[in-house]
């Protein structure tokens, strides 16, 4: 294993893929998080409830 | 706004529901069969068609693609229409999708039984069926996206994002993992080799779990759980965040299947970090599901549907916690190659996928048949039997994993392995395998109770193939209103744009891992003494693939003293450069074979031993659970194919000399005759063209190349040089 890893340590530039990916993820996460949290509750409720707007045979319709 | 009239397609949903039930029984039955085989090898029936190595892929594929697959399509197609207030895009596509998928399943069952397999776990289908699968999958996506485009509601509900991610994720995985070079209609070699093949395969294997067993079921959870509880999902915000983090992170975590094996350190580190990060979004989903039921727990008590959902979502949370734990290196030492993994997959499969599917069937089927469930009581009975059977499955196997691991690494005070014979550790855990059979029978019983209940329900009702409905047409959305619209909201207003973003998120994870492995040659250092397989060894290797020996044997030794003492020197990445496909395996039901040909190593056995062992393992070791392979002595290697195989290998970059394909058969016979002569010395008569001879040659090749000073007479002849 040490044999393998020492050989690979000489692979320059590989870690950058990994770091960049993480950074992309963290940035996107923060952006999506903030924007999502700032949505009005009414809109969120509308979406949540939207699945009940169908005429179910057993009459489980809510709205 | 004027209402438009349209009809929901319930017939397609019904067909997929029926297929789920029928294939589910088959999948579980085969599971019980292979559980019996592992406890009592007589259940291999001495037939090549029914040996464990061929039945195990049948079981896994039947569960994943037949049972779970059909359940996904039924659940998706029903909820998609209701959520979007639109009929499925095209009746023709729905038909092709349904029958195409069933055709794939039948072809899979037939080919696996005949030993036609690529040996890549959960991707064992040979190339023509792979192509068929791609076509049918695209039809599914086309039908789904078409329906989304002609929807009558503005907002695309959370469940559907997951469906879309499923479609895109599986498409990407399947295509990348299936690059193979066909040499006949029923045989191909993957273009990747060795460690590279392993990374691609487990990137696929891991993400098949993500995008076939997780994302579609999260989608189903977001629809059927609130529907069944008759209350909206706990937090819509959480569903958005949960969605994007999960699909982004999942793709990265593939290499955690290969820890401590011959893989670059950085690939391992990557897999581990992302596996741990995955806990967060996974638990976000679980919490969202469970909190939906807050204040409704009284309903759960009475409803089998909700009980199944609760167990499913809880099991999802447990498995997604256990999974990342298993990718920690020191935990993985134990869980990898032992029954721990088997227990883990069955908690996820039986409880999460099974539970969601059962709940959905009990909820949906009566609705489609416009009647009440025949018996709520039987459904509750099913629930309790199924839940109990999961415990009876998991607990013994966890026990077995710990026991075997402790035994395998135990040393005497003098510094020798306490149990040098692998079989001793296996004998110790065999009683657990008997318990597993009991669990399987319980699970099957519960399943059959459900089948009875559902068929009674169907008999009492009737399907309205085209259910009338009406809704106003969709008003087209305008441009993005940058300030008061979330990015997510903006993107998902436009299906195509949304899909592209999902694809980008998936692609980054996949690419980051795979691109370096493919393009950076220096990633895999070559070892000068490692030579390509001789034609005979190659034929033997193909028999190994065909018989599914990899379902019980690994071929990679980790760098622990208790492994190197038992199996020989640990594996080096450069040893596998000619392996199309890699055969590292994932479960050591039998001992590792990576150094089976290392003459002075602990695993070496001579030709006569191998002959007798393949003819009847139980005669050599009464306790062995390896199936017998006596047909190796009767069946011939197909010499017509040998030159093709060599040419295919050359195309893939294996350095056989120019024109070697012409000499391949002569070379094969020359080497085979040596083994025949050797066997004769032990009084065994066999023709050189038999599979047995090829298999023995292959066994003796394993690990031999890096052995110092064993100038075996074959070496100089290896590549005809």
């Amino acid at each position: 294993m040490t044999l393998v890893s020492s050989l690979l340590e000489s692979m320059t530039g590989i870690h950058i893929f990994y770091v960049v990916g993480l950074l992309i993820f963290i940035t996107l996460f923060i952006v999506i998080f903030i924007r999502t949290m700032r949505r009005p509750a009414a809109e969120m409720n509308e979406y949540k409830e939207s699945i009940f707007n169908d005429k179910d045979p057993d009459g489980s319709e809510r709205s | 706004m004027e209402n438009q009239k349209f009809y929901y397609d319930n017939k397609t949903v019904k067909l997929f529901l029926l297929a789920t039930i029928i294939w589910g029984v088959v999948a579980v039955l085969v599971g019980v069969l292979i559980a019996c085989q592992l406890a009592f090898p007589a259940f291999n029936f001495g037939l090549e068609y029914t040996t464990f190595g061929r039945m195990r892929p049948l079981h896994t594929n039947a569960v994943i693609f037949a049972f779970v697959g059909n359940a996904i399509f039924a659940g998706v197609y029903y909820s998609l229409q209701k959520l979007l207030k639109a009929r499925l895009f095209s009746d023709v596509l729905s038909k092709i999708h349904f029958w195409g998928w069933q055709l794939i399943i039948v072809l899979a069952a037939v080919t696996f039984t005949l030993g036609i397999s690529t040996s890549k776990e959960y991707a064992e289908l040979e190339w023509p069926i792979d192509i068929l699968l791609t076509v049918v999958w695209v039809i599914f996506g086309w039908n789904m996206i078409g329906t989304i485009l002609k929807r009558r509601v503005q907002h695309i509900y959370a469940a559907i994002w997951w469906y879309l991610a499923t479609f895109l994720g599986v498409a990407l995985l399947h295509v990348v993992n299936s690059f193979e070079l066909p040499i006949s209609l029923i045989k191909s070699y993957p273009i990747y080799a060795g460690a590279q093949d392993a990374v691609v395969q487990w990137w696929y294997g891991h993400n098949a779990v993500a995008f076939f067993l997780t994302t579609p079921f999260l989608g189903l959870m977001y629809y059927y759980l609130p529907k069944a509880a008759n209350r909206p999902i706990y937090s819509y915000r959480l569903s958005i965040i949960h969605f994007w983090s999960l699909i982004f992170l999942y793709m990265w975590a593939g290499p955690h299947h290969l820890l401590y094996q011959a893989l670059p350190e950085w690939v391992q580190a990557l897999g581990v970090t992302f596996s741990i990060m995955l806990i967060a979004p996974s638990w976000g989903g679980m919490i969202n599901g469970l909190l939906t039921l807050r204040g409704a727990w009284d309903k759960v008590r009475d409803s089998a549907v909700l009980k199944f959902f609760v167990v499913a979502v809880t099991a999802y949370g447990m498995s997604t916690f256990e999974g990342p734990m298993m990718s920690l290196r020191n935990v993985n030492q134990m869980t990898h190659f032992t029954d721990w993994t088997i227990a883990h997959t069955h908690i996820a499969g039986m409880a999460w996928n099974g539970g969601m599917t059962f709940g959905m069937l009990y909820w949906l089927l009566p609705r489609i048949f416009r009647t009440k469930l025949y018996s709520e009581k039987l459904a509750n009975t099913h629930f309790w039997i199924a839940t109990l059977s999961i415990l009876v499955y998991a607990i013994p196997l966890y026990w077995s994993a710990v026991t075997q691991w402790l035994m395998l690494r135990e040393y005497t005070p003098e510094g020798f392995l306490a149990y040098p014979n692998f079989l001793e550790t296996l004998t110790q855990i065999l009683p657990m395998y008997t318990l597993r059979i009991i669990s399987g029978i319980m699970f099957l019983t519960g399943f059959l109770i459900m089948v009875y209940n559902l068929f009674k329900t169907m008999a009492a009702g009737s399907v309205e193939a085209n259910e009338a409905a009406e809704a106003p047409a969709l008003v087209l959305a305008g441009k993005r209103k940058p300030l008061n619209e979330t990015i997510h909201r903006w993107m998902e207003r436009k299906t195509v744009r949304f899909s592209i973003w999902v694809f980008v998120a998936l692609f980054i994870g996949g690419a980051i891992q795979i691109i370096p492995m493919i393009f950076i040659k220096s990633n895999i250092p070559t070892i000068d003494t490692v030579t390509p397989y001789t034609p005979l060894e190659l034929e033997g290797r193909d028999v190994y693939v065909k018989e599914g020996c990899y379902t019980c044997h690994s071929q990679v030794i980790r760098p622990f003293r208790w492994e190197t003492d038992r199996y020989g020197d640990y594996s080096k990445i450069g040893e596998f450069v000619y392996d199309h496909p890699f055969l590292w395996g994932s479960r050591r039901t039998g001992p590792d074979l990576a150094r089976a040909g290392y003459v002075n190593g602990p695993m070496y056995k001579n030709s006569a031993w191998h002959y007798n062992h393949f003819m009847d393992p139980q005669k050599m070791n009464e306790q062995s659970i390896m199936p017998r392979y006596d047909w190796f002595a009767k069946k011939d290697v197909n010499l017509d194919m040998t030159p093709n195989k060599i040419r295919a290998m050359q195309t893939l970059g294996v350095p056989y000399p120019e024109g070697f394909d012409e000499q391949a058969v002569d070379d094969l016979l020359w080497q085979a005759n040596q083994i025949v002569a050797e066997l004769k010395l032990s009084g065994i008569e066999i023709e050189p063209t038999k599979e047995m001879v090829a298999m023995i040659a292959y066994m003796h090749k394993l690990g031999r190349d890096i052995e110092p000073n064993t100038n075996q007479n074959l070496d100089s002849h290896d590549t005809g040089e």
Side-chain angles (χ1 to χ4, degrees):
Chain A
M1 213 63 212
T2 40
L3 175 96
V4 173
S5 44
S6 61
L7 256 155
L8 287 157
E9 268 156 30
S10 58
M11 286 174 54
T12 45
I14 272 302
H15 297 83
I16 208 76
F17 281 92
Y18 179 21
V19 177
V20 168
L22 257 182
L23 287 179
I24 297 178
F25 170 69
I26 291 168
T27 322
L28 276 179
F29 183 85
I30 293 172
V31 171
I32 290 182
F33 186 83
I34 293 175
R35 304 216 59 149
T36 307
M37 288 329 256
R38 288 176 52 193
R39 295 311 305 150
E43 187 191 333
M44 292 290 127
N45 275 331
E46 184 198 324
Y47 297 154
K48 269 194 208 178
E49 294 279 349
S50 68
I51 68 167
F52 297 106
N53 304 328
D54 58 8
K55 293 203 189 66
D56 237 348
D58 68 349
S60 70
E61 206 182 343
R62 288 161 56 97
S63 45
Chain B
M1 175 64 29
E2 205 174 311
N3 268 355
Q4 294 179 332
K5 248 184 121 68
F6 62 97
Y7 296 90
Y8 291 124
D9 176 359
N10 283 338
K11 194 177 153 207
T12 307
V13 177
K14 178 194 86 174
L15 287 174
F16 276 117
L17 285 175
L18 289 178
T20 307
I21 299 170
I22 293 164
W23 290 121
V25 174
V26 175
V28 179
L29 251 171
V30 179
V32 174
L33 171 68
I34 61 176
C36 292
Q37 293 177 335
L38 286 182
F40 309 104
F43 280 95
N44 289 287
F45 305 125
L47 289 171
E48 56 173 309
Y49 309 107
T50 48
T51 43
F52 180 82
R54 297 191 189 183
M55 288 296 106
R56 195 255 191 186
L58 185 61
H59 168 62
T60 51
N61 281 272
V63 168
I64 299 174
F65 299 108
F67 171 56
V68 170
N70 279 306
I72 294 172
F73 299 136
V76 168
Y77 277 167
Y78 176 82
S79 56
L80 195 67
Q81 300 185 80
K82 294 276 171 168
L83 286 170
L84 299 175
K85 306 230 177 309
R87 186 186 176 82
L88 286 179
F89 176 65
S90 152
D91 289 357
V92 178
L93 291 184
S94 303
K95 236 190 213 119
I96 302 178
H97 177 192
F98 177 78
W99 291 109
W101 195 257
Q102 311 316 314
L103 176 67
I104 292 170
I105 296 170
V106 172
L107 287 175
V110 172
T111 52
F112 292 155
T113 315
L114 293 176
I116 299 167
S117 156
T118 64
S119 85
K120 296 180 114 193
E121 287 180 59
Y122 325 124
E124 287 96 342
L125 295 172
E126 262 301 350
W127 68 274
I129 314 178
D130 271 347
I131 293 176
L132 184 61
L133 188 80
T134 314
V135 172
V136 175
W137 193 255
V138 168
I139 284 175
F140 162 55
W142 181 2
N143 210 11
M144 173 165 64
I145 293 174
T147 313
I148 298 176
L149 290 176
K150 56 170 224 185
R151 69 189 186 274
R152 292 190 179 78
V153 293
Q154 182 76 263
H155 178 71
I156 301 178
Y157 181 72
I160 299 171
W161 319 331
W162 293 102
Y163 302 161
L164 268 175
T166 301
F167 166 65
L168 296 170
V170 172
L172 177 69
L173 294 165
H174 174 67
V175 169
V176 172
N177 192 40
S178 301
F179 282 124
E180 47 216 1
L181 185 66
I183 58 164
S184 75
L185 198 62
I186 53 166
K187 176 82 193 156
S188 65
Y189 294 119
I191 63 162
Y192 313 105
Q196 209 179 59
D197 194 37
V199 175
V200 177
Q201 157 61 23
W202 283 113
W203 169 76
Y204 164 88
H206 173 78
N207 288 300
V209 172
F211 289 92
F212 210 86
L213 302 175
T214 304
T215 55
F217 278 80
L218 286 169
L220 298 179
M221 180 189 88
Y222 274 111
Y223 181 78
Y224 290 93
L225 181 65
K227 275 299 228 184
N230 202 20
R231 47 180 51 227
I233 193 78
Y234 170 64
S235 163
Y236 207 77
R237 291 201 175 91
L238 184 54
S239 72
I240 299 176
I241 295 165
H242 168 208
F243 174 77
W244 286 106
S245 2
L246 196 129
I247 61 162
F248 190 90
L249 287 180
Y250 235 118
M251 278 273 172
W252 299 63
H256 70 200
H257 286 260
L258 302 165
L259 295 177
Y260 274 118
Q261 301 173 18
L263 264 194
E265 207 80 54
W266 67 269
V267 178
Q268 299 188 17
L270 187 88
V272 176
T273 316
F274 278 90
S275 306
I276 300 292
M277 286 171 67
L278 255 178
I279 297 180
S282 304
W283 277 47
M286 173 184 71
I287 289 167
N288 216 357
L290 289 181
L291 286 185
T292 301
L293 295 170
R294 78 199 181 291
W297 288 97
D298 53 314
K299 280 190 193 163
V300 176
R301 202 185 48 222
D302 304 326
S303 151
V305 173
L306 287 180
K307 276 207 282 282
F308 268 120
F309 284 162
V310 168
V311 164
V313 174
T314 313
Y316 171 64
M318 276 163 42
S319 308
T320 52
F321 180 75
E322 189 188 24
M325 289 304 116
M326 287 164 71
S327 70
L328 295 174
R329 288 163 164 238
N330 34 9
V331 180
N332 191 267
Q333 267 190 39
M334 174 185 72
T335 62
H336 199 72
F337 290 137
T338 64
D339 281 322
W340 195 285
T341 310
I342 319 294
H344 172 65
T345 57
H346 282 81
I347 288 191
M350 291 158 87
W352 163 236
N353 298 117
M356 286 304 294
T357 304
F358 297 145
M360 188 183 84
L361 285 171
Y362 282 125
W363 186 85
L364 184 52
L365 198 119
R367 271 171 181 70
I368 291 284
F369 280 82
R370 292 183 300 171
T371 177
K372 285 251 171 291
L373 183 64
Y374 169 69
S375 162
E376 189 70 29
K377 207 166 152 201
L378 284 180
N380 276 304
T381 313
H382 174 202
F383 170 79
W384 289 112
I385 297 182
T387 308
L388 197 64
S389 77
I390 294 164
L391 296 180
V392 179
Y393 193 103
I395 295 169
L397 285 204
Y398 285 134
W399 180 271
S400 137
V402 176
T403 309
Q404 193 176 27
W405 182 66
L406 290 175
M407 288 178 81
L408 285 170
R409 67 201 296 273
E410 187 163 324
Y411 277 87
T412 61
E414 296 77 37
F416 296 106
L417 285 169
Y419 305 99
N421 185 354
F422 181 89
L423 201 53
E424 278 177 274
T425 70
L426 180 67
T427 314
Q428 194 68 29
I429 61 175
L430 279 183
M432 301 300 136
Y433 287 5
T434 312
L435 284 177
R436 166 162 60 186
I437 299 175
I438 295 173
S439 152
I441 292 173
M442 286 167 66
F443 195 74
L444 183 64
T445 311
F447 207 119
L448 292 175
I449 292 176
M450 177 184 77
V451 174
Y452 172 77
N453 201 354
L454 294 181
F455 274 97
K456 278 290 197 187
T457 310
M458 287 186 239
S462 66
V463 184
E464 190 174 10
N466 300 299
E467 179 190 334
E470 47 187 69
L474 176 63
V475 199
L476 282 175
K479 276 213 164 15
R480 181 178 172 209
K481 294 164 262 157
L483 282 178
N484 53 15
E485 208 172 27
T486 60
I487 290 187
H488 177 90
R489 172 81 183 81
W490 165 67
M491 285 189 308
E492 48 95 282
R493 261 198 339 200
K494 304 250 186 269
T495 321
V496 177
R497 209 172 312 167
F498 180 82
S499 307
I500 292 172
W501 277 105
V502 173
F503 199 75
V504 168
L506 300 180
F507 201 77
I508 294 175
I512 264 182
Q513 203 178 297
I514 285 181
I515 289 173
M517 289 303 289
I518 292 175
F519 292 106
I520 304 179
K521 261 245 150 86
S522 65
N523 234 349
I524 296 171
T526 47
I527 302 174
D528 291 341
T529 53
V530 173
T531 53
Y533 296 98
T534 65
L536 185 66
E537 290 157 3
L538 191 63
E539 291 292 356
R541 195 168 198 274
D542 283 344
V543 177
Y544 189 97
V545 166
K546 176 177 168 195
E547 296 301 346
C549 309
Y550 66 90
T551 58
C552 283
H553 291 286
S554 60
Q555 284 189 17
V556 64
I557 301 168
R558 298 179 291 178
F560 303 125
R561 180 171 158 229
W562 45 276
E563 291 216 348
T564 52
D565 282 356
R566 181 180 301 279
Y567 302 126
D569 201 5
Y570 64 86
S571 295
K572 321 284 183 301
I573 221 170
E575 287 180 73
F576 304 103
V577 287
Y578 303 128
D579 288 9
H580 300 267
F582 83 111
L583 289 172
W584 294 356
S586 62
R587 169 76 186 97
R588 282 181 187 149
T589 301
D592 185 276
L593 298 177
R595 302 266 177 262
Y598 199 106
V599 181
N600 294 307
M603 292 302 289
Y604 186 80
K605 305 286 187 313
N606 67 28
S607 302
W609 190 95
H610 279 304
Y611 178 93
N612 290 318
H613 185 246
F614 286 130
M615 293 304 282
D616 191 352
Q618 282 77 43
K619 210 156 118 200
M620 309 290 283
N621 290 305
E622 210 187 320
Q623 312 274 10
S624 175
I625 57 168
M626 175 159 150
R628 54 199 293 181
Y629 289 96
D630 47 358
W631 58 87
F632 284 177
K634 293 194 205 97
K635 292 186 75 167
D636 284 303
V637 165
N638 182 356
L639 294 181
D640 295 340
M641 289 307 290
T642 313
N644 286 352
K645 292 182 175 178
I646 296 294
R647 275 195 296 275
M649 286 294 168
Q650 283 174 321
T651 312
L652 295 173
V654 178
Y656 292 108
E658 192 73 37
F660 186 61
D661 54 323
E662 304 282 316
Q663 312 155 25
V665 173
D666 292 342
D667 184 285
L668 183 148
L669 291 173
W670 178 86
Q671 189 184 358
N673 277 315
Q674 306 234 324
I675 296 173
V676 169
E678 209 185 313
L679 286 172
K680 203 164 194 162
L681 293 179
S682 311
I684 298 165
E685 295 279 348
I686 190 163
E687 286 159 49
T689 50
K690 298 297 172 198
E691 287 186 344
M692 178 70 81
V693 180
M695 184 55 98
I696 293 174
Y698 176 55
M699 290 291 114
H700 282 167
K701 163 77 169 178
L702 289 170
R704 195 190 64 211
D705 286 346
I706 65 154
E707 182 164 12
N709 317 321
T710 43
N711 227 339
Q712 286 216 329
N713 49 357
L714 297 179
D715 277 3
S716 55
H717 192 81
D718 261 0
T719 56
E721 277 167 335

